Amino acid sequence: MADPEHLAWRDLAVAVARAGAERIRARAGAADLRVDTKSTETDPVTEVDREVEAMVVESLLAARPDDGVVGEEGADRAGTSGVRWLVDPIDGTVNFLYGIPGCNVSVAAEAGGQVVAAAVVDPLHGDVFAAARGHGATRNGHALRATSASDPARSLVGTGFGYDPERRRRQAEVLVRVLPQVRDVRRLGAAAVDLCWVACGRLDGYYETGLQAWDWAAGGLVAEEAGARVGTVGDVPLPDGLPGACIVAAAPDLFDPLRALVAAAGAAEV
């Protein structure tokens, strides 16, 4: 049953993500950004990633001081309320560095073992995606619905690549097997927006291996609440099955054939 409280959490997620997105919009592609690296030399983090995470976390805890928070850039607070927020301050940092649309702020609330409220704000595209479990999903206030695609050969599919060079090589091998069997493939460079694009019909499906919870949580709920199916190759349970699993999101009738296709291509083995 839909919980009215999830709507309040959704609205809070939208408010804090909007504020962070304004900071992204003002600084995207700036020449004077300070840039460090994390897991590999191609995995950047900027001063703005850290600033936006601090802004979002501070705002969430000001509104809900007993909640837990986990953020990509190090926020980690257990909380006592049973609600945990998952924050990606800049999903698509490489896009942000180059001023390419797709970078976004992704905020999700988790309770009872599932994601129940979400916001993904992409300031350069001018998109605010939001969802509350049982209440549907919206883009800029308008209800979303996934496509009716069912045949991979006629479907536009999104994917992404990790930062580790060896994983990227294996992901490219998977793509070589997938590409001839779908209409075409898009690589936007931001998992949350890929998932939201499944929700709004800009993509028919999406798959990627190696995501963290903050990468998929908000966008995954938006996709689900728009009628898409979201799961993993091999039915590894979410959320604890990631980051090793391959996540798949697709229009309802496309989900099974797309999952079978990427499984056969070896996506779960990268």
Side-chain angles (χ1 to χ4, degrees), residues 69-151:
V69 183
V70 174
E72 181 177 13
E73 306 310 333
D76 190 0
R77 183 178 187 274
T80 58
S81 68
V83 176
R84 182 176 73 151
W85 296 86
L86 300 167
V87 177
D88 194 341
I90 305 182
D91 173 46
T93 299
V94 174
N95 286 350
F96 169 71
L97 282 172
Y98 287 85
I100 297 172
C103 52
N104 63 87
V105 183
S106 178
V107 179
E110 183 184 80
Q114 61 179 186
V115 179
V116 296
V120 175
V121 180
D122 175 354
L124 301 188
H125 277 127
D127 282 336
V128 178
F129 295 95
R133 186 166 295 279
H135 295 276
T138 60
R139 170 182 164 265
N140 299 333
H142 299 286
L144 299 180
R145 202 75 203 155
T147 71
S148 59
S150 60
D151 181 0

Side-chain angles (χ1 to χ4, degrees), residues 124-203:
L124 301 188
H125 277 127
D127 282 336
V128 178
F129 295 95
R133 186 166 295 279
H135 295 276
T138 60
R139 170 182 164 265
N140 299 333
H142 299 286
L144 299 180
R145 202 75 203 155
T147 71
S148 59
S150 60
D151 181 0
R154 297 182 178 184
S155 298
L156 184 63
V157 175
T159 193
F161 306 112
Y163 289 111
D164 178 75
E166 177 58 23
R167 170 167 274 179
R168 283 187 173 195
R169 183 190 65 77
R170 297 194 301 268
Q171 287 173 320
E173 291 173 351
V174 171
L175 181 60
V176 166
R177 301 181 192 112
V178 170
L179 185 55
Q181 302 185 68
V182 299
R183 169 169 278 162
D184 208 343
V185 170
R186 295 291 182 266
R187 201 281 195 188
L188 181 63
V193 168
D194 282 321
L195 287 159
C196 290
W197 281 19
V198 172
C200 72
R202 292 174 180 166
L203 293 172

Side-chain angles (χ1 to χ4, degrees), residues 27-51 73 90 92-99 163:
R27 296 285 284 148
D32 60 345
L33 288 169
R34 293 196 303 272
V35 183
D36 298 317
T37 57
K38 297 190 290 184
S39 61
T40 72
E41 288 300 311
T42 57
D43 182 7
V45 58
T46 73
E47 58 190 304
V48 183
D49 290 80
R50 298 185 177 106
E51 290 170 7
E73 306 310 333
I90 305 182
T93 299
V94 174
N95 286 350
F96 169 71
L97 282 172
Y98 287 85
Y163 289 111

